[in-house]
Amino acid sequence: MRFILSTFPTSTAALTAAMLCLSPMVAIAQEPDCEQAIRALMTKTEVPVPVRYQATTEMSGQKMENSGITETAKRHLTMDGNGVPVSLFVDGKFYTSPDKGVSWKLQHTYSEEELAIQRDGVKWQADNASNFSCEFDIEIDGRSAHHYGVDFPLQNSETDITTHSEYWLDSETGFVFKALTISKTGGIEVTITQHIQPDPDAKVPVPED
């Protein structure tokens, strides 16, 4: 679903989910209307500055750590808990590495149709979101922040998945520095917590096909 896993998802539905999970890394301008602000955040795709994230995934008593770099909306690197490169998404192409990032093997090239389906899926999820909540100018970790919450369905999922997301944005810049996603399906709950920070110098590798 919309988890950031150690490998980038290869189905269109999973791609939609993962890209939505990444979307909170994008800074947006503060908007006074709670519902409008959250829908804008869910569908924002631009990445004005490269970012790094640390993510913790918890499921059935197990915990998995991973990290990543998003350089642009079309370039993303995923690493395992030890910082070893695992998968790469560059300009519509998905790669995995058999040797810790020394080389990259092309696994799938997304067609324009697949990418359009992904974009439409993100918009559909935002359009069908509910239970919006906003707290403005609260204090967290010594900084002023806005706290948003929202529930939404996952489009094209093969199972019934309910999803709740929360975002913490810097009050001054609108940058999302923390995101929480809780998903439930078939009695299984998966929680993903992301801590995000801007890194203007961050780059991802670009394989030569």
Side-chain angles (χ1 to χ4, degrees):
M1 91 117 255
R2 45 183 264 123
F3 324 145
I4 296 180
L5 296 174
S6 59
T7 57
F8 205 88
T10 54
S11 72
T12 301
L15 175 60
T16 300
M19 292 306 291
L20 182 56
C21 198
L22 290 175
S23 65
M25 299 179 188
V26 181
I28 65 168
Q30 176 184 341
E31 300 184 39
D33 179 83
C34 179
E35 182 174 328
Q36 181 183 2
I38 293 175
R39 290 190 197 276
L41 179 61
M42 292 178 68
T43 56
K44 198 76 171 178
T45 58
E46 293 86 355
V47 181
V49 61
V51 299
R52 291 182 181 270
Y53 74 85
Q54 297 286 333
T56 302
T57 302
E58 299 175 78
M59 178 176 62
S60 302
Q62 302 297 313
K63 183 180 292 187
M64 181 181 73
E65 305 284 346
N66 74 325
S67 60
I69 296 172
T70 297
E71 181 182 348
T72 71
K74 296 182 178 181
R75 295 187 175 186
H76 175 73
L77 171 69
T78 300
M79 296 172 279
D80 66 17
N82 296 315
V84 175
V86 174
S87 63
L88 182 66
F89 183 78
V90 175
D91 302 330
K93 296 181 179 181
F94 171 65
Y95 303 83
T96 58
S97 177
D99 49 18
K100 301 181 179 181
V102 176
S103 63
W104 294 95
K105 182 178 180 180
L106 179 64
Q107 298 290 345
H108 184 72
T109 299
Y110 287 92
S111 66
E112 284 302 317
E113 181 181 2
E114 287 177 302
L115 295 174
I117 290 173
Q118 178 265 317
R119 291 190 295 268
D120 290 344
V122 170
K123 183 179 185 303
W124 182 89
Q125 288 166 177
D127 289 343
N128 288 275
S130 61
N131 298 327
F132 301 91
S133 65
C134 293
E135 295 178 282
F136 295 101
D137 298 315
I138 63 172
E139 287 293 323
I140 178 171
D141 297 331
R143 68 199 297 179
S144 178
H146 304 326
H147 177 212
Y148 294 167
V150 64
D151 296 337
F152 59 91
L154 181 65
Q155 188 187 38
N156 296 331
S157 172
E158 297 177 358
T159 57
D160 182 21
I161 299 177
T162 59
T163 304
H164 172 77
S165 286
E166 298 182 31
Y167 313 115
W168 287 261
L169 298 76
D170 185 282
S171 298
E172 301 253 337
T173 65
F175 184 84
V176 179
F177 60 87
K178 181 180 178 181
L180 171 71
T181 301
I182 302 173
S183 300
K184 297 181 181 179
T185 179
I188 298 175
E189 180 175 293
V190 179
T191 300
I192 302 173
T193 305
Q194 298 179 78
H195 295 275
I196 307 139
Q197 61 182 10
D199 186 349
D201 297 324
K203 300 287 186 183
V204 305
V206 179
E208 295 182 4
D209 293 337

